[in-house]
Amino acid sequence: MTSQTLTLTRRDTLRLAALALTASVASCATPPTHVSNTPASDQTASALPLVNALRARNGLPPLKIDGAASAAAIYQARRMADARKMEHLIGIGDDFGKRVKASGVKLPAAENIAEGQSDVNAAVTAWINSPKHLHNMLGKYDGLGVALAYDPSSGGRPYWSMVLSSD
């Protein structure tokens, strides 16, 4: 083998590695094509009176149930349960705006997440007690979706997601 052949082989190896890295990053940026079997439920109807009471105490108009926001919240709660971590962005290239728009949510939008709370009252209370989450709930939004998903591999650890949407 000559040194020129060895250099080409190294170059080819580097090119292949770069292509593989590009392909793996691109695959993380796209939403999964499989449907999660993780148990999840729409908790919007239970959360809405709690959030609207908070908004009323602060002189703000009530939110309404937004089916697209509920779908986006279910999707996020399942993603967190599947990943076994409470994170807004899961995977390289994840993008909140693109993710919620794919569910039909109108922007601007916001998302609150939580982990471990046993019921909707505890989840909403945790968000109220967090300045950034409270700020979202008191924001200029019109719609609401709230979901709960359980991680079956951890004995049913609950993951919560709230999506606030605009009209």
Side-chain angles (χ1 to χ4, degrees):
M1 213 182 248
T2 68
S3 65
Q4 184 178 13
T5 304
L6 190 56
T7 303
L8 289 174
T9 303
R10 285 184 187 153
R11 246 187 234 144
D12 290 340
T13 302
L14 288 173
R15 284 185 187 136
L16 287 174
L19 285 172
L21 179 62
T22 302
S24 70
V25 168
S27 68
C28 290
T30 57
T33 56
H34 73 282
V35 174
S36 173
N37 291 323
T38 299
S41 61
D42 185 343
Q43 298 289 312
T44 310
S46 298
L48 188 64
L50 303 170
V51 175
N52 280 340
L54 168 72
R55 290 176 63 86
R57 287 191 303 271
N58 286 274
L60 297 169
L63 301 176
K64 63 181 186 284
I65 293 175
D66 178 347
S70 295
I74 288 171
Y75 181 70
Q76 177 62 11
R78 279 186 167 143
R79 282 171 19 112
M80 292 188 300
D82 288 345
R84 288 178 285 211
K85 60 183 174 180
M86 183 184 74
E87 303 242 350
H88 291 281
L89 303 176
I90 300 172
I92 297 170
D94 193 3
D95 181 286
F96 168 73
K98 289 179 184 175
R99 178 167 37 89
V100 297
K101 280 175 61 178
S103 293
V105 173
K106 294 180 182 171
L107 300 179
E111 176 178 78
N112 289 348
I113 57 175
E115 172 188 17
Q117 292 76 12
S118 60
D119 60 41
V120 71
N121 289 323
V124 172
T125 298
W127 289 323
I128 289 171
N129 291 328
S130 164
K132 289 182 180 179
H133 294 108
L134 176 62
H135 176 77
N136 285 343
M137 291 187 293
L138 298 177
K140 294 184 179 187
Y141 299 107
D142 306 297
L144 181 71
V146 178
L148 166 64
Y150 294 98
D151 170 20
S153 68
S154 69
R157 184 147 184 84
Y159 290 86
W160 294 87
S161 178
M162 170 188 282
V163 175
L164 299 127
S165 63
S166 299
D167 246 347

